[in-house]
Amino acid sequence: MITSIARKLFAPRWRELERHQTQGEQLQREVLARLLDRAKDTDFGRKHLFSATKDYDDFVRNTPLSSYEELKGDIDRMRQGESDLLWPGRVKWYAKSSGTTNDKSKFIPVSPEGLHHLHYRGGADVVALYLRNNPQSRMFDGRGLILGGSHAPNYNLPGSLVGDLSAILIENINPLVNLIRVPSKKTALLSDFEIKRDRIAREAMKKNVTNLSGVPSWMLSVLNRVMELSGKQHLEEVWPNLEVFFHGGVAFTPYREQYQQLITSPKMHYMETYNASEGFFGIQDDPADKSMLLMLDYDCFYEFIPTPSPSRGEGSSYSPSAKETSVGSNLPPLPSGGDGGGCVPLWAVEPGKNYAMVISTSCGLWRYMIGDTIRFTSTNPYKFVISGRTKSFINAFGEELIVDNAEQGLAYACQVSGAQVLEYTAAPVFMDSQAKCRHQWLIEFSTPPPDLAQFAATLDRKLQELNSDYEAKRYKDITLQPLEIIVARPGLFNDWLKSRGKLGGQHKVPRLSNNREHIDQLLNMNTKRIL
């Protein structure tokens, strides 16, 4: 009954979304004009002549590309309570981004407009598109299990907080939504993930849960606790009306088979989203197509920087990953400056090419290089897959191995061997005692392969098939030796995240790194457990 009412409420949005099919350029020009008009009297808007900016070309001439480093001075002043700097008014909420790769965090402003016209609007459209594609859905006749992080005071300013984006969304959500979600707000905002995991499982298993929302890795941990407590074999025995998992944050590929073993119901659906601390950007609108629809009428104007794309073909089966992180790079640096910096607007992108994404939003991020790379699969409508991060690859020897290659290679090796990968990271070995260079993979298996050497050989062959640069460097073992796999002890990656204060929430394991900072830390912990 409730779902039938909801479907009628969402129906007008279905018609609005039809504009994405043919009017992408117009939608984006409207967004840019709206953002510039709203911010023209801010400190940033005055410095960059927003009031005199008439079109995209003016915007490019007047406004340089920026990274967090360029904006953090203004952001810190905003956190101290100053108003009208990057966005009108005072911004009280800051998403502590897990995208940073060192001990310092990024604090992404979340303005009231951004909260409603970037983040909540994305969540509403996920539901709208799911109901459109699944007319028999009964999701609102039960509860949604939604995972969230935690927040803390911001410089002790009254009413100002920093924390995981998910915590900010839960804190500000319409109280009526709490009637159809689980766990309780108190439990959802706990900072200790291990305590939270148990409490969520105990609260949720007593409810009629019909839908799940969260990061696949952390959701799987909660669901495994539900199974431990319930003593059941499959999740549908606990929640017989479970029908959909809305997931994002990390690639679903390593977890897909584990979810399918845990949830055997044929009515179960999976729907990918691309939501980050900086905004909500993409939704899988077609269950038969793993690419996502770029959301063009939110408070976000997009630009794109062409980047190297070492993959061999365009028929990727890559499942998008929003925030794989790493450090170091031998690829050409991303451009900067007010001359466009090599950027192209949405209406100039081409399918099959790799692009670094640049955003301007109502949270005060202007021509901001978010760090993700995407590849368009279509421009009518604009649909894409995420190919990785601008700093998440290995290019120590000219091999240009990206996350897209890694995910496909692991998926194939698992398919062939029957193994299941829970977590992994990889980095170069620049030269060992025998003067040999190679890639070193540290993998935590939930189901180990019967023959680790065969698994490694299968992965290595698949990477050569996917990436001609990697293949060339592997030729006759002249530059690169066969890759090495080290098996991680159970719980290693969680222990590492815990040691860094990043267990749970939206924190993720860096997948590919161009240096050995992360993998060496993990290897040092591989023989001992953090208590």
Side-chain angles (χ1 to χ4, degrees), residues 73-344:
D74 281 337
I75 291 174
D76 195 62
R77 289 170 61 195
M78 292 164 68
R79 290 184 61 207
Q80 298 281 359
E82 291 191 48
S83 301
D84 302 317
L85 294 179
L86 296 174
W87 190 253
R90 181 184 168 201
V91 177
K92 297 182 178 181
W93 290 89
Y94 297 86
K96 191 175 181 180
S97 174
S98 62
T100 183
T101 57
N102 52 36
D103 292 333
K104 297 178 181 179
S105 294
K106 297 177 183 177
F107 297 93
I108 305 301
V110 182
S111 69
E113 292 88 347
L115 189 66
H116 291 282
H117 302 310
L118 268 175
H119 296 292
Y120 285 145
R121 194 168 183 186
D125 277 351
V126 170
V127 176
L129 288 167
Y130 176 73
L131 293 179
R132 185 196 68 181
N133 293 332
N134 297 276
Q136 304 304 316
S137 171
R138 300 287 299 276
M139 66 171 288
F140 284 111
D141 294 357
R143 300 289 187 97
L145 170 54
I146 303 174
L147 296 190
S150 60
H151 56 60
N154 169 52
Y155 288 146
N156 295 315
L157 293 177
S160 184
L161 296 171
V162 300
D164 293 328
L165 173 69
S166 53
I168 294 173
L169 298 179
I170 289 173
E171 185 67 49
N172 288 280
I173 205 166
N174 189 315
L176 293 176
V177 177
N178 290 320
L179 300 176
I180 55 172
R181 63 174 295 276
V182 69
S184 66
K185 183 176 177 180
K186 180 179 179 180
T187 296
L189 296 177
L190 285 172
S191 58
D192 189 317
F193 180 74
E194 292 168 307
I195 295 174
K196 180 192 301 195
R197 170 181 179 259
D198 184 70
R199 290 191 184 178
I200 291 174
R202 292 180 185 277
E203 288 183 28
M205 62 187 293
K206 302 173 185 177
K207 305 295 184 181
N208 174 28
V209 172
T210 62
N211 59 97
L212 311 171
S213 299
V215 176
S217 53
W218 301 124
M219 181 62 76
L220 186 62
S221 180
V222 170
L223 298 183
N224 283 333
R225 183 57 179 156
V226 169
M227 301 308 293
E228 292 170 2
L229 293 171
S230 68
K232 304 296 185 182
Q233 281 193 307
H234 299 109
L235 199 60
E236 60 264 34
E237 297 176 70
V238 181
W239 299 318
N241 297 313
L242 182 65
E243 61 176 84
V244 61
F245 179 23
F246 304 112
H247 57 87
V250 299
F252 194 53
T253 303
Y255 307 99
R256 185 178 300 277
E257 187 171 343
Q258 296 172 72
Y259 273 91
Q260 290 174 345
Q261 291 180 359
L262 183 63
I263 308 169
T264 60
S265 170
K267 70 178 183 181
M268 186 65 186
H269 303 280
Y270 298 90
M271 191 169 176
E272 192 92 29
T273 65
Y274 177 15
N275 55 320
S277 300
E278 296 86 352
F280 203 119
F281 309 123
I283 301 172
Q284 184 184 1
D285 66 323
D286 180 354
D289 182 1
K290 291 182 180 178
S291 62
M292 290 183 284
L293 180 70
L294 190 67
M295 308 313 294
L296 304 179
D297 59 354
Y298 299 176
D299 275 1
C300 182
F301 180 77
Y302 301 96
E303 297 174 84
F304 303 91
I305 303 173
T307 62
S309 181
S311 296
R312 260 207 175 97
E314 303 309 331
S316 170
S317 60
Y318 177 71
S319 183
S321 166
K323 288 284 184 184
E324 310 293 356
T325 59
S326 181
V327 295
S329 167
N330 284 335
L331 289 181
L334 293 181
S336 61
D339 59 351
C343 279
V344 297

Side-chain angles (χ1 to χ4, degrees), residues 5-24:
I5 296 173
R7 183 174 287 105
K8 293 177 182 178
L9 294 175
F10 282 113
R13 181 57 179 160
W14 300 343
R15 292 188 288 273
E16 290 177 0
L17 287 170
E18 291 177 2
R19 291 189 67 192
H20 283 63
Q21 300 291 325
T22 58
Q23 300 179 41

Side-chain angles (χ1 to χ4, degrees), residues 243-488:
E243 61 176 84
V244 61
F245 179 23
F246 304 112
H247 57 87
V250 299
F252 194 53
T253 303
Y255 307 99
R256 185 178 300 277
E257 187 171 343
Q258 296 172 72
Y259 273 91
Q260 290 174 345
Q261 291 180 359
L262 183 63
I263 308 169
T264 60
S265 170
K267 70 178 183 181
M268 186 65 186
H269 303 280
Y270 298 90
M271 191 169 176
E272 192 92 29
T273 65
Y274 177 15
N275 55 320
S277 300
E278 296 86 352
F280 203 119
F281 309 123
I283 301 172
Q284 184 184 1
D285 66 323
D286 180 354
D289 182 1
K290 291 182 180 178
S291 62
M292 290 183 284
L293 180 70
L294 190 67
M295 308 313 294
L296 304 179
D297 59 354
Y298 299 176
D299 275 1
C300 182
F301 180 77
Y302 301 96
E303 297 174 84
F304 303 91
I305 303 173
T307 62
S309 181
S311 296
R312 260 207 175 97
E314 303 309 331
S316 170
S317 60
Y318 177 71
S319 183
S321 166
K323 288 284 184 184
E324 310 293 356
T325 59
S326 181
V327 295
S329 167
N330 284 335
L331 289 181
L334 293 181
S336 61
D339 59 351
C343 279
V344 297
L346 178 73
W347 50 92
V349 300
E350 300 177 36
K353 289 190 174 182
N354 220 42
Y355 295 96
M357 197 161 77
V358 177
I359 60 172
S360 297
T361 77
S362 59
C363 289
L365 302 178
W366 297 104
R367 303 199 76 204
Y368 180 82
M369 296 179 286
I370 190 174
D372 291 330
T373 61
I374 71 171
R375 186 176 66 253
F376 284 94
T377 60
S378 166
T379 55
N380 190 24
Y382 290 94
K383 299 186 71 170
F384 67 96
V385 295
I386 300 175
S387 51
R389 296 278 291 168
T390 56
K391 294 182 179 179
S392 186
F393 51 82
I394 304 176
N395 192 39
F397 314 102
E399 66 275 43
E400 296 184 3
L401 191 75
I402 62 175
V403 174
D404 192 349
N405 305 147
E407 295 289 346
Q408 290 190 68
L410 283 173
Y412 178 76
C414 285
Q415 178 186 346
V416 169
S417 66
Q420 292 182 5
V421 172
L422 187 61
E423 295 287 359
Y424 75 92
T425 193
V429 174
F430 293 98
M431 192 173 291
D432 62 15
S433 57
Q434 284 78 44
K436 301 295 186 181
C437 304
R438 66 188 180 279
H439 288 183
Q440 190 174 64
W441 294 65
L442 180 61
I443 303 178
E444 183 177 341
F445 292 98
S446 53
T447 301
D451 186 329
L452 185 64
Q454 186 61 43
F455 183 92
T458 302
L459 173 59
D460 192 64
R461 287 194 301 271
K462 189 63 176 179
L463 293 177
Q464 294 182 56
E465 177 186 326
L466 293 166
N467 185 321
S468 57
D469 292 315
Y470 181 80
E471 180 186 41
K473 300 305 179 290
R474 283 283 296 111
Y475 180 68
K476 293 186 176 182
D477 299 347
I478 295 174
T479 302
L480 279 177
Q481 302 297 303
L483 64 83
E484 173 191 15
I485 293 179
I486 298 175
V487 177

